[in-house]
Amino acid sequence: NGVEHRDSRRMMKEVFAKKILPAYHETICKLSSDLTENWQAGESCDLNSEMVQFMLRMTSALLFGLDDAGFAQKLGRLIDRWAHRNHEIGMGALVSAPQFAQGYDDLLSQAEELEETVRDMFARHRSMQHQQVNILSLLFQAQESEQHLTDDQLIGHSTLLFAAAHLTTAHTFSWTLFLLSQHPDVLGKLRNELAQHVAGEIPTLEELEKLPYLDSVIKESMRVLPASSYSQRIAVQPTSIGPVRLNPGTPVIFSQYITHHRPDIYEKPD
């Protein structure tokens, strides 16, 4: 919160600035081609499992510059387990009850193992030359220019970035492809747009700017079936939400899924 949050937000905005995104295009295209070249017409596969593994590779490459599949799998498994444990405990960590207290001790143990693995990744990263741009390299550059940015802070940033990007994006891909299969008219319009504006197998950066229907399909998929159904915050100062008064320390749980399906906001919410 406060100054620390503001400084972290400014740093992250620079790392994810639009001018940097073209540097990730080659990596995204290569990993996407690697995925689809193994798909054969008429065969079936566990799509969500494919998307989870795909995004494990993608997140490891784009965030950390990792090309070590075994290490990426280990790191992804640890972060996934840690994130799931966080969701299981949630606001219960603030409740004085044995079942939550035990779970919180387990979470701390998992966090220690995860931190050790991330420090190992930092050491690997700093000892290697990276041909492609990755976000961790940019964070290390920011650390050099901002002396107050410690490795402990970078561990927090890196872990949250991975946890936020990995499964959420995988599930968004899965839900989008599922919804397209349920709405062949939408799929047909999308195929027509791609055929009209994309010359090769994969869109160029310039061609992506000419695909407004694809942009709408992805946004509508994220509205109808968001990757995460709820989130939570803790009030840090006295505030009000409508008639409800919130004191500092009050937990607040809200659901983007419920908001996205309110008929007073969307004409056809479902």
Side-chain angles (χ1 to χ4, degrees), residues 131-205:
Q131 297 180 346
Q132 300 295 334
V133 174
N134 60 80
I135 291 170
L136 187 56
S137 293
L138 298 176
L139 289 175
F140 282 152
Q141 291 176 20
Q143 185 183 40
E144 292 175 0
S145 62
E146 301 185 34
Q147 300 301 319
H148 63 276
L149 187 61
T150 66
D151 268 12
D152 286 343
Q153 291 172 308
L154 278 181
I155 288 173
H157 290 314
S158 301
T159 303
L160 287 177
L161 282 173
F162 194 104
H166 175 213
L167 288 179
T168 52
T169 310
H171 292 160
T172 296
F173 283 150
S174 298
W175 285 129
T176 301
L177 293 171
F178 167 77
L179 289 169
L180 284 172
S181 73
Q182 302 299 303
H183 297 82
D185 55 331
V186 176
L187 177 59
K189 291 179 182 179
L190 179 57
R191 288 169 61 95
N192 289 338
E193 181 181 74
L194 294 173
Q196 182 179 355
H197 296 291
V198 179
E201 290 291 325
I202 297 178
T204 64
L205 290 169

Side-chain angles (χ1 to χ4, degrees), residues 5 7 32 67 77 94 156 174 180 186 196 230:
H5 173 75
D7 291 344
S32 299
D67 196 27
R77 185 174 63 254
L94 304 177
S174 298
L180 284 172
V186 176
Q196 182 179 355
Y230 76 97

